[in-house]
Amino acid sequence: MLSLIPKALTLSLSSRTTTRLILIPLPLKPVASRPMSTQRMFQLKLDPLTGNSEWVVIEENEVVPESSQEPLLATTSYLDMLNDSYRNRAYRLAIDKMVTKSCHVLDIGAGTGLLSMMAARAMGSSDSTTSLNTKGMVTACESYLPMVKLMKKVLHVNGMGRNIKVINKRSDELEVGVDIDSRADILVSEILDSELLGEGLIPTLQHAHDRLLVENPLTVPYRATTYGQLVESTFLWKLHDLYNNEAKALDGIHLVPAGMDSILHVKSQQYAMHCDAITKEIKLLSEPFKIFEFDFWKRPDSHGETELQIKSTDDGRVHAVVSWWVLQLDREGTIFYSTAPRWISLPIHKSTGNWCDHWKQCVWFIPGKGMSICEGEELLFHALHTETSVSYELKSQIPITDERQHNLNAKDFQLALPPERIAIYGDGEWRLSMVMAMRNALQGRVQPLCVVADDSVFLTICVARLSKTAYVLSLLPGLGNKGAQYLRTVADPNCFSIDRVEILQKGQKCLTMDDTQQKKVDLLIGEPYYFGNDGMLPWQNLRFWKERSKLDPVLSKEVIIMPFKGILKACAIFCPDIWNSHRSLSKIEGFDHAVVNTTLGACGDLPAPKEGPCLPFFTWQCGEIKKLSNVFTVMEFDFSKPISPCQGKVQVEFTEPGLCHGFALWIDWVMDSENSIVISTGPDKRYWKQGVKLMAKPVAVGFEESGRTDLCSSTLVEASFDPSNGELNVQHTFS
C-alpha cells in the first residue's frame, strides 16, 4: 500500500497536464505525478524476450469486463499482505481502540480501503446511515490508479462508498481546503517495507504532520522500533565476498583483481530475506539490540545516527547484521506486530503463525571475510538512517593487523550486481562448468569471432583469456556503459588486450555484417543472464533464444551456440505457505474482498476456467515445502534453430502422499551438444528463482501402491510456450 515514492523516480508534468506517467519495473511500482479531474495513467509494460517496453494507458473511467481481465497486480505484494491475518487483526484491534468518536481519519496509502473501512465502522458509519460530516469522516489517499479503481469496488460491495472520500493523489499533493476540508485528527497508514523506511515513511509522515494533521494527532501505528543481531553464516558471506570466494576457483579469471576489492560488489544496503530458512546455517554472535525508534505521532527527523557497544556472545566471524522491526500499533503498548525471525522470543503478539512474503527480515553484509571476534569482546556498532534507508558500520576495538582493509567508498570505478549473481560468480562448480564448456567450444578455432549476447562479464573475460586470437563482441544490453568500463578496468589483470573486446550497445537494433566487419559469427554465447531481470520467471531468460534468432543472418553455418538448449524441468510440490499467502480473499475482518481476487491473481475458490498464477520465488525461502514427485522434463528449447512455439506433455506419477498445491518449474541450461555440461537452476540451487505454478485448489495425491482410491496417483501436465510474448501456459489433469 504505497503512498509516497522517492521523487527521483517521478516523471513530473506541468500543472496543466491531464495525464500521469508511471514508470513501473517488475514488480509493479507506482509513481505518481500531478493529479487532474479525469485521471489517466501510463504504465510501462516490458517484453521480457526482447527487453523492449511500451506504454499502456489506464483510464480512470475505463471499464474492463471481469472475464477478460488479466491479473494486473499479480506480481505485487497486495494479495500476500491482505492474507496476513495477524497484520489485519492487529490493525483492526488498534483502530477500534483508537477511533472511539466522530473525527476526521486520514488513511495514507489506502490500497483496497481496508483500514479506511475499519475506521469508518469504528465511527459507526455505513451507507445505511447518514453520511459523515466534517466532524466524522474518513479520507482514503491512494496514488496508484489501478488500486483506486479496485478500492472503489470494495467500498461499494461493503456499503462504504458514500462515507469514505477516495482521493487519487500522492499524500504530499493533498491540500487542506482543496482536497480535504480540515486537518485530520487520526492518521492510519501502512507504508512500510521490510527495511521499514523504503516506501517513504519519513517524508510521508513529515508532510502529513506539517500540512495534513492536527497538533498531537493520534496515529495507527503509534511507533516502530528496529532491532539487529550479529551473525556468522557462510551462506551470507558467499552472497557478497566475490574476491575471497573466487580465489579458490583456480581458473585464472579475476572478476575482482587484487587491489580492486570493490570493483564488482553488492550495493551497501539492506537486503530482504527470509532468514528463518537459514536458521540452521546461522551462528548467533550477539544478543538482539535496539537500533532506531520512530514515533508516528510526531514529526520524524530526516536523518539519525546512533552508536552502540555490542558485546559478543561467542567466538566466531561476523558476516552480517540481521535486522527486523517491531510495530507498536496502540499508544498503551498492548498491540504489536513483529517481523523478527522465529529464533527471537518476544513476550508480545507477533506474526509467527503464518508465513508471508511482503515483509521479511533484512541482511546487511560486513565487507570481505567479515570480522573475527572472541566471546566477550565489545564491538562498536554505528547506525545511520536517511529518509529512505538504513546503513551500518561495525568496528572492532582491537587493532586489526592481519585482515584486509575494505574501502567501499573508494573513488575507483565500481559495478554493483545482485547478491545472488555475486554468489554464482564465486561458485567454483559453476565456474568450472562454464570454463570447460567455453574451452571445448574454442578448441581448434583460429581467430574466432565470438558474440556474448547477454550481460555476462564472466564469459566475456573467459573467452578473451582462453583464446589469444578470438575477437569478442559483447552486447551487454543491461549493463551498457558500466559493463564496458568494468571490462576495460579488469583487462590487464586478466591478461587480455581490450583491443580484442568490443562493446556493441545496439539497443533495439539488430547486429549486422557491418558490425562484424563482414565476418560471420563463430560462437554465440550467454549464461544466460540479463541485468535487471532478477525478479522474472525462469523462462523469461529465453530472451537468449530470441536474440539468437535476430542474429541468424550473421551466424556462420558451423556456429557454436552456448547454451545449446534449454530444458524446462518441473516437480509437483506441497507448498501450503505460498498457496495460503496467495489464496482468494473472502472477508477480511468482516469486510468482503472477493471482488479483488481476479485483479490480484488469487488462487482458491475461482470460477472456471480461472487458474492460479505462476510467480517467481526462491522456493527454498518459501516456508514449508516438499516434493511430491520426481523431477520431470516438460519440454525442450533447441537454440540451434530460430525461436518457435513449443509444446510438451508428460504423465507424472506421484512419489509422496500429500496435498499438491502446484508445481515448481525451472530451466536447466545444456551448454554443449553432447549434453555433458548442464547448469541447473532448480530448487536445490539457491541462487536462482524458480517459477511456482499454483493450483486453483489443492489436490490430495499419493502413489498408486498405497491402495487409496481417494487420492490422485498421477497427473497429465501439458505446457506450451508462445515466443510472441514469452508466456508459458501450463495445464494439468489429475487422475
Side-chain angles (χ1 to χ4, degrees), residues 52 69 98 117 126 163 218 278 294 311 409 464 584 603-604 665 669 724:
N52 300 337
Q69 281 189 358
M98 194 73 71
M117 291 189 292
S126 68
N163 297 306
L218 300 177
I278 54 172
F294 300 93
K311 189 174 184 179
N409 296 316
S584 57
C603 54
L665 301 107
W669 305 99
S724 68

Side-chain angles (χ1 to χ4, degrees), residues 13-18 34-36:
L13 305 178
S14 72
S15 59
R16 296 183 181 179
T17 190
T18 58
R34 298 290 299 177
M36 50 288 185

Side-chain angles (χ1 to χ4, degrees), residues 571-634:
C571 65
I573 55 174
F574 167 79
C575 55
D577 292 320
I578 304 178
W579 195 88
N580 285 325
S581 72
H582 287 79
R583 70 185 305 167
S584 57
L585 303 168
S586 52
K587 286 199 172 182
I588 303 176
E589 297 299 325
F591 297 107
D592 190 350
H593 272 68
V595 70
V596 309
N597 286 326
T598 297
T599 305
L600 297 185
C603 54
D605 299 321
L606 302 179
K610 297 291 183 183
E611 294 188 0
C614 194
L615 302 169
F617 284 106
F618 290 111
T619 53
W620 65 274
Q621 292 190 38
C622 290
E624 189 176 6
I625 193 163
K626 182 177 73 171
K627 292 182 180 180
L628 300 178
S629 74
N630 292 324
V631 173
F632 55 91
T633 296
V634 181

Side-chain angles (χ1 to χ4, degrees), residues 395-700:
K395 294 181 180 179
S396 173
Q397 298 192 30
I398 300 175
I400 299 175
T401 58
D402 60 344
E403 301 268 349
R404 292 181 59 87
Q405 298 297 312
H406 298 270
N407 180 14
L408 293 184
N409 296 316
K411 295 181 180 180
D412 296 333
F413 171 77
Q414 298 177 2
L415 178 64
L417 294 179
E420 290 76 22
R421 184 54 41 181
I422 292 293
I424 290 169
Y425 283 165
D427 184 78
E429 182 181 349
W430 181 88
R431 289 170 70 116
L432 178 62
S433 296
M434 283 294 183
V435 172
M436 286 179 59
M438 201 66 257
R439 184 176 283 117
N440 293 342
L442 287 167
Q443 191 171 9
R445 299 271 176 167
V446 179
Q447 295 184 332
L449 175 60
C450 177
V451 172
V452 181
D454 63 355
D455 282 304
S456 178
V457 292
F458 179 88
L459 286 179
T460 302
I461 296 172
C462 183
V463 175
R465 271 193 59 87
L466 292 177
S467 173
K468 299 302 182 183
T469 63
Y471 192 82
V472 186
L473 294 177
S474 193
L475 302 185
L476 300 182
L479 291 177
N481 288 328
K482 288 187 176 181
Q485 188 174 351
Y486 165 79
L487 290 171
R488 287 192 292 269
T489 306
V490 301
D492 286 345
N494 281 282
C495 303
F496 69 86
S497 171
I498 196 62
D499 293 337
R500 293 191 293 110
V501 177
E502 183 178 353
I503 311 302
L504 284 179
Q505 296 175 37
K506 298 291 292 183
Q508 299 179 15
K509 297 179 181 179
C510 295
L511 194 71
T512 67
M513 292 294 290
D514 290 336
D515 298 310
T516 65
Q517 298 179 358
Q518 307 307 312
K519 179 177 172 59
K520 292 278 188 174
V521 175
D522 300 298
L523 286 87
L524 176 64
I525 62 175
E527 299 179 16
Y529 167 66
Y530 292 93
F531 181 76
N533 282 17
D534 308 282
M536 290 190 173
L537 291 160
W539 44 91
Q540 290 171 335
N541 276 321
L542 290 174
R543 176 177 175 177
F544 175 80
W545 197 10
K546 189 86 168 183
E547 295 289 346
R548 174 258 177 269
S549 304
K550 289 164 57 179
L551 294 172
D552 200 55
V554 300
L555 302 181
S556 68
K557 292 182 179 180
E558 296 80 24
V559 65
I560 291 180
I561 296 176
M562 189 184 92
F564 179 73
K565 65 180 177 181
I567 304 176
L568 182 65
K569 297 277 190 174
C571 65
I573 55 174
F574 167 79
C575 55
D577 292 320
I578 304 178
W579 195 88
N580 285 325
S581 72
H582 287 79
R583 70 185 305 167
S584 57
L585 303 168
S586 52
K587 286 199 172 182
I588 303 176
E589 297 299 325
F591 297 107
D592 190 350
H593 272 68
V595 70
V596 309
N597 286 326
T598 297
T599 305
L600 297 185
C603 54
D605 299 321
L606 302 179
K610 297 291 183 183
E611 294 188 0
C614 194
L615 302 169
F617 284 106
F618 290 111
T619 53
W620 65 274
Q621 292 190 38
C622 290
E624 189 176 6
I625 193 163
K626 182 177 73 171
K627 292 182 180 180
L628 300 178
S629 74
N630 292 324
V631 173
F632 55 91
T633 296
V634 181
M635 70 175 78
E636 296 189 358
F637 311 102
D638 185 358
F639 303 150
S640 68
K641 303 173 183 177
I643 194 168
S644 61
C646 298
Q647 295 80 34
K649 180 188 296 187
V650 58
Q651 190 75 30
V652 181
E653 304 292 330
F654 294 104
T655 57
E656 295 287 340
L659 270 182
C660 180
H661 294 94
F663 299 87
L665 301 107
W666 65 94
I667 291 183
D668 283 356
W669 305 99
V670 181
M671 305 310 290
D672 59 344
S673 58
E674 291 78 25
N675 297 335
S676 63
I677 302 175
V678 180
I679 304 293
S680 178
T681 64
D684 57 335
K685 305 296 183 181
R686 295 191 290 181
Y687 305 141
W688 282 275
K689 285 186 177 181
Q690 294 78 46
V692 176
K693 171 66 176 178
L694 294 172
M695 308 272 293
K697 293 182 180 179
V699 176

Side-chain angles (χ1 to χ4, degrees), residues 101-148:
K101 60 183 179 180
S102 291
C103 60
H104 182 189
V105 177
L106 174 62
D107 180 2
I108 293 180
T112 63
L114 177 61
L115 304 188
S116 293
M117 291 189 292
M118 290 178 179
R121 181 175 61 186
M123 279 190 280
S125 64
S126 68
D127 279 357
S128 61
T129 65
T130 304
S131 295
L132 298 175
N133 55 34
T134 55
K135 293 184 178 180
M137 63 179 297
V138 178
T139 302
C141 173
E142 172 59 51
S143 66
Y144 188 34
L145 182 56
M147 186 52 66
V148 169

Side-chain angles (χ1 to χ4, degrees), residues 233-448:
S233 168
T234 300
F235 175 76
L236 295 179
W237 168 59
K238 289 181 177 180
L239 288 175
H240 73 95
D241 185 10
L242 180 55
Y243 176 83
N244 287 294
N245 277 291
E246 78 167 351
K248 297 178 289 185
L250 302 177
D251 52 25
I253 296 174
H254 305 290
L255 295 175
V256 183
M260 302 182 184
D261 295 26
S262 62
I263 190 170
L264 190 61
H265 68 110
V266 298
K267 289 183 178 179
S268 297
Q269 65 179 53
Q270 295 199 91
Y271 290 90
M273 181 183 297
H274 289 288
C275 291
D276 288 327
I278 54 172
T279 299
K280 295 180 180 179
E281 302 173 62
I282 282 181
K283 181 180 181 181
L284 304 178
L285 296 178
S286 77
E287 296 293 338
F289 48 87
K290 184 168 78 171
I291 305 174
F292 286 117
E293 193 169 82
F294 300 93
D295 290 322
F296 288 59
W297 55 272
K298 63 181 181 181
R299 191 184 194 278
D301 295 328
S302 296
H303 300 273
E305 292 186 61
T306 187
E307 202 163 74
L308 307 171
Q309 296 281 348
I310 308 299
K311 189 174 184 179
S312 61
T313 56
D314 205 343
D315 297 342
R317 185 174 289 274
V318 183
H319 290 130
V321 179
V322 173
S323 65
W324 62 92
W325 45 259
V326 175
L327 209 58
Q328 177 184 329
L329 286 102
D330 65 329
R331 183 169 48 186
E332 293 76 17
T334 62
I335 306 170
F336 292 89
Y337 182 101
S338 172
T339 63
R342 296 189 180 186
W343 68 70
I344 298 295
S345 297
L346 293 175
I348 59 173
H349 170 74
K350 62 185 291 253
S351 57
T352 56
N354 59 328
W355 179 90
C356 60
D357 199 48
H358 62 98
W359 287 324
K360 312 176 183 71
Q361 295 78 49
C362 281
V363 173
W364 175 276
F365 300 118
I366 304 300
K369 290 183 178 180
M371 181 175 292
S372 181
I373 59 172
C374 299
E375 181 179 356
E377 181 180 342
E378 288 198 343
L379 305 174
L380 189 63
F381 179 82
H382 182 261
L384 180 147
H385 79 77
T386 64
E387 288 188 344
T388 56
S389 65
V390 180
S391 60
Y392 307 128
E393 185 179 13
L394 190 65
K395 294 181 180 179
S396 173
Q397 298 192 30
I398 300 175
I400 299 175
T401 58
D402 60 344
E403 301 268 349
R404 292 181 59 87
Q405 298 297 312
H406 298 270
N407 180 14
L408 293 184
N409 296 316
K411 295 181 180 180
D412 296 333
F413 171 77
Q414 298 177 2
L415 178 64
L417 294 179
E420 290 76 22
R421 184 54 41 181
I422 292 293
I424 290 169
Y425 283 165
D427 184 78
E429 182 181 349
W430 181 88
R431 289 170 70 116
L432 178 62
S433 296
M434 283 294 183
V435 172
M436 286 179 59
M438 201 66 257
R439 184 176 283 117
N440 293 342
L442 287 167
Q443 191 171 9
R445 299 271 176 167
V446 179
Q447 295 184 332

